Amino acid sequence: MPLTIDRIPADFGRWDEVLALIMHAFAFMDGVIDPPSSAHLLTVDTLRDKALRETGFVALDGGSIVGCVFAQERADDFYVGKLAVAPDRQGRGIGRRLMQVVERLALDHGKAVLELQTRIELTGNHATFARLGFHETSRTAHEGYARPTSITMRKALS
């Protein structure tokens, strides 16, 4: 069965699997980024609530959830968050396909820009997003930090 990308429906019942995927995919950040990832604040209930405010997608391979992404429509763009691919499936284009679905969503809603944030320490993510057409627009600090902790990146869609 080929990999499919599905929009998360209103009656989605696999939040525990999405949560486990995000936690597994983001685990490499533990001890690397400061402050710790907001993924640690997620629960099944907060993910369910997130899906009420944002559009979520899952990548499915043979029924297994191997990737996810959330996109929040804003006034001038879509904000992309919690892009996650199972570590044993990374490097196979799943993240790229998830981002392509978000791009189509944004264009369908008349938005020509995607924005995301990545942590300063995650230079591999910076390079990955640059390959996907994103460029750095600013650096910001989490509350309580005097130094930049995040990089904001944007992509203009055609």
Side-chain angles (χ1 to χ4, degrees):
M1 177 181 281
L3 182 87
T4 60
I5 308 290
D6 292 342
R7 187 174 182 155
I8 296 175
D11 62 347
F12 190 70
R14 299 174 65 182
W15 291 114
D16 56 335
E17 295 171 61
V18 174
L19 179 60
L21 167 74
I22 292 170
M23 297 308 295
H24 190 57
F26 283 41
F28 80 97
M29 297 178 201
D30 292 343
V32 174
I33 64 171
D34 182 38
S37 173
S38 63
H40 291 291
L41 303 175
L42 293 174
T43 66
V44 167
D45 290 334
T46 61
L47 276 174
R48 188 180 297 115
D49 292 344
K50 184 176 187 63
L52 295 174
R53 299 181 312 276
E54 303 176 26
T55 303
F57 295 94
V58 289
L60 298 164
D61 185 13
S64 296
I65 297 174
V66 297
C68 69
V69 67
F70 289 84
Q72 181 179 28
E73 185 173 8
R74 302 188 305 191
D76 298 321
D77 61 21
F78 265 82
Y79 182 81
V80 181
K82 298 301 179 256
L83 172 64
V85 176
D88 65 337
R89 301 300 303 275
Q90 293 175 4
R92 299 181 190 184
I94 295 169
R96 180 178 298 275
R97 288 193 49 199
L98 286 162
M99 292 300 282
Q100 288 169 342
V101 171
V102 171
E103 289 177 19
R104 284 193 296 277
L105 174 70
L107 290 169
D108 288 348
H109 285 252
K111 309 294 186 197
V113 176
L114 295 181
E115 183 175 281
L116 57 80
Q117 288 188 313
T118 183
R119 293 301 189 86
I120 293 286
E121 300 92 345
L122 302 180
T123 56
N125 284 7
H126 309 169
T128 297
F129 292 128
R131 284 192 301 276
L132 292 174
F134 286 83
H135 66 278
E136 181 178 336
T137 58
S138 65
R139 292 180 178 221
T140 57
H142 284 78
E143 186 175 335
Y145 286 77
R147 64 169 175 81
T149 55
S150 294
I151 294 175
T152 302
M153 301 182 82
R154 291 175 67 84
K155 178 179 182 176
L157 307 175
S158 52

